[in-house]
């Protein structure tokens, strides 16, 4: 007998445009490689690190594996919030040393900022007004679509129900404060994809706005370690008033090369409050703690020991070297593109260089052009939002030889 399935799917997924950006790029690159099997591709697309894990982290993880092989050092389920020794190391090094009032209790260890910045929606209701920049890290938008917080996407790919804040050369890639009240605002600085940064004054203005409208800022600081300019804040908590209006996402992926190892953290200050349907104030920390305790079993002991080693003297030295290495790549990319005559942004406090594509070309045209003519893979700006059309992102995450070769090929075009 033929039984028709009647299970209902989450129809919000059907509103999503095409594939997620990076798998879509991978699909196109695979198709190109299929017809050009001998092409020597250089990947400056997805921001995935290439350099080896710091030896301090590897040593710590090896030691942790050996501990796990003994009865006394074996670890089963860890705390869902992460081990206290890692949270304390983060609170001390990433926050107290920068004058931020963040305690270990307010830090939740996780397996990634991508997961946290989308999972965080679990603790919010479905009627918040949400603002994102355009261009934007696509996860913020897609996860809201999946959660049913938007309508359909329109002609230029923007979803009904979301407020978009354009950032482009005309406003110097500075996100303008909305003139309407919004409830949740996603900000990412140093910015993915444009590489722009937010000054203390910029963040102060956002915090004043959030206080005025009782909004919450979801601040993605995954690229903070790439900041070279001492005046640029690394954390939103360096700014007064942020404890009452901001959640911060941080990651070990890019500074310590943990994209494949997986460790990150999210900070939820105890001062943050939302409102229940009956109008009572509710601590966001309690909700996130409840969410994590139910849906997450923590990051492995071994990986957390690896992350802890980032804060050792040796770890700090190695992480600084890694960051410098990628920032030298970024400088090489910037210089080459500038010499070739492109308009170039970013790449000075972020591992992403954002360039304008030649006239008459779309971002995807330029993607195909670079792929075919130079065998270099980048990321089309329009993949990050309609205001990214006309731009293209090159990532500084690759080895030196490949970056130099890619720039040589682009210069020769
Ligand atoms: C990117 O290329 O934008 C990054 O890989 C995003 C991420 O870290 O998920």
């Amino acid at each position: 007998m033929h039984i028709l399935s009647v299970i209902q799917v989450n129809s919000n997924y059907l509103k999503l445009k095409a594939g997620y950006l990076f798998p879509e790029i991978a699909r196109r690159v695979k198709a190109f490689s299929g017809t050009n099997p001998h092409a020597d591709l250089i990947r400056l697309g997805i921001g995935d690190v290439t350099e080896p894990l710091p030896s301090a982290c590897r040593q710590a993880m090896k030691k942790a594996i050996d501990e796990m092989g003994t009865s006394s050092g074996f670890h089963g389920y860890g705390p869902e919030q992460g081990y206290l020794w890692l949270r304390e190391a983060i609170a001390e090094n990433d926050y107290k040393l920068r004058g931020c009032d963040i305690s270990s209790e307010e830090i939740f260890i996780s397996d990634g900022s991508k997961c946290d910045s989308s999972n965080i929606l679990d603790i919010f209701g479905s009627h918040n007004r949400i603002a994102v920049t355009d261009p934007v890290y696509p996860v913020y938008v897609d996860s809201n679509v999946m959660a049913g917080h938007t309508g359909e996407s329109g002609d230029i790919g923007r979803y009904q129900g979301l407020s978009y804040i354009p950032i482009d050369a005309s406003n110097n890639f500075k996100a303008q404060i909305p003139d309407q009240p919004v409830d949740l605002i996603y900000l990412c600085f140093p910015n993915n994809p444009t590489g722009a940064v937010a000054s203390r004054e910029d963040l102060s203005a956002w915090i004043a706005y959030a206080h005025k409208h009782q909004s919450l800022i979801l601040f993605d600081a995954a690229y903070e370690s790439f900041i070279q300019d001492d005046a640029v804040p690394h954390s939103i908590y360096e700014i007064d008033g942020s404890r009452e209006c901001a959640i911060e996402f941080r990651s070990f992926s890019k500074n310590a090369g943990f994209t494949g190892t997986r460790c990150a953290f999210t900070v939820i200050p105890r001062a943050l409050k939302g409102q229940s349907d009956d109008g009572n104030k509710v601590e966001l920390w309690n909700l996130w703690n409840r969410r994590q305790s139910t849906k997450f079993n923590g990051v492995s002991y071994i990986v957390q020991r690896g992350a802890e080693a980032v804060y050792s003297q040796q770890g700090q030295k190695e992480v600084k070297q890694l960051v410098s290495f990628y920032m030298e790549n970024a400088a090489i990319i910037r210089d080459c593109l500038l010499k070739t005559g492109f308009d170039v942004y970013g790449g000075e406090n972020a591992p992403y260089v954002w360039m304008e594509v030649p006239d008459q070309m779309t971002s995807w045209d330029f993607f195909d052009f670079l792929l075919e003519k130079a065998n270099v893979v980048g990321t089309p700006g329009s993949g990050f939002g309609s205001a990214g059309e006309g731009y293209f992102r090159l990532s500084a995450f690759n080895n030196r030889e490949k970056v130099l070769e890619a720039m040589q090929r682009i210069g020769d075009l």
Side-chain angles (χ1 to χ4, degrees), residues 119-196:
N119 290 335
I120 197 75
L121 292 179
D122 275 9
I123 68 168
F124 300 121
S126 49
H127 299 297
N128 291 308
R129 294 159 296 185
I130 297 162
V132 292
T133 61
D134 180 5
V136 68
Y137 180 41
V139 170
Y140 314 149
V141 171
D142 287 4
S143 55
N144 274 290
V145 176
M146 291 169 177
H149 297 167
T150 73
E152 300 291 335
S153 69
D155 290 349
I156 59 168
R158 287 183 169 177
Y159 291 93
Q160 290 158 12
L162 288 187
S163 297
Y164 290 86
I165 306 169
I167 43 172
D168 54 30
S170 71
N171 55 26
N172 209 13
F173 301 97
K174 207 183 263 286
Q176 303 296 305
I177 306 263
D179 42 21
Q180 302 292 322
V182 291
D183 302 307
L184 293 178
I185 306 149
Y186 289 84
L187 293 179
C188 171
F189 290 109
N191 187 250
N192 179 13
T194 66

Side-chain angles (χ1 to χ4, degrees), residues 167-236:
I167 43 172
D168 54 30
S170 71
N171 55 26
N172 209 13
F173 301 97
K174 207 183 263 286
Q176 303 296 305
I177 306 263
D179 42 21
Q180 302 292 322
V182 291
D183 302 307
L184 293 178
I185 306 149
Y186 289 84
L187 293 179
C188 171
F189 290 109
N191 187 250
N192 179 13
T194 66
V197 289
S199 66
R200 294 187 72 83
E201 294 70 36
D202 296 334
L203 292 183
S204 300
W206 277 107
I207 288 164
Y209 171 88
H211 276 263
K212 180 167 169 207
H213 297 290
Q214 299 188 47
S215 357
L216 178 72
I217 298 171
L218 298 170
F219 192 74
D220 185 345
Y223 298 94
E224 60 76 33
S225 59
F226 296 88
I227 294 173
Q228 308 293 302
D229 178 345
D230 290 342
V232 173
H234 287 237
S235 163
I236 196 160

Side-chain angles (χ1 to χ4, degrees), residues 20-22 45-48 113-114 137-139 192-193 222-223 251 253-254 259 262 352 379 384 393 395 397:
Y20 181 61
L21 175 61
F22 295 105
I46 189 166
D48 193 4
S113 290
K114 176 174 168 177
Y137 180 41
V139 170
N192 179 13
Y223 298 94
S251 172
S253 283
K254 313 289 159 109
T259 51
R262 311 305 308 153
Y352 296 125
T379 309
F384 298 100
R393 193 191 78 177
S395 150
F397 294 119

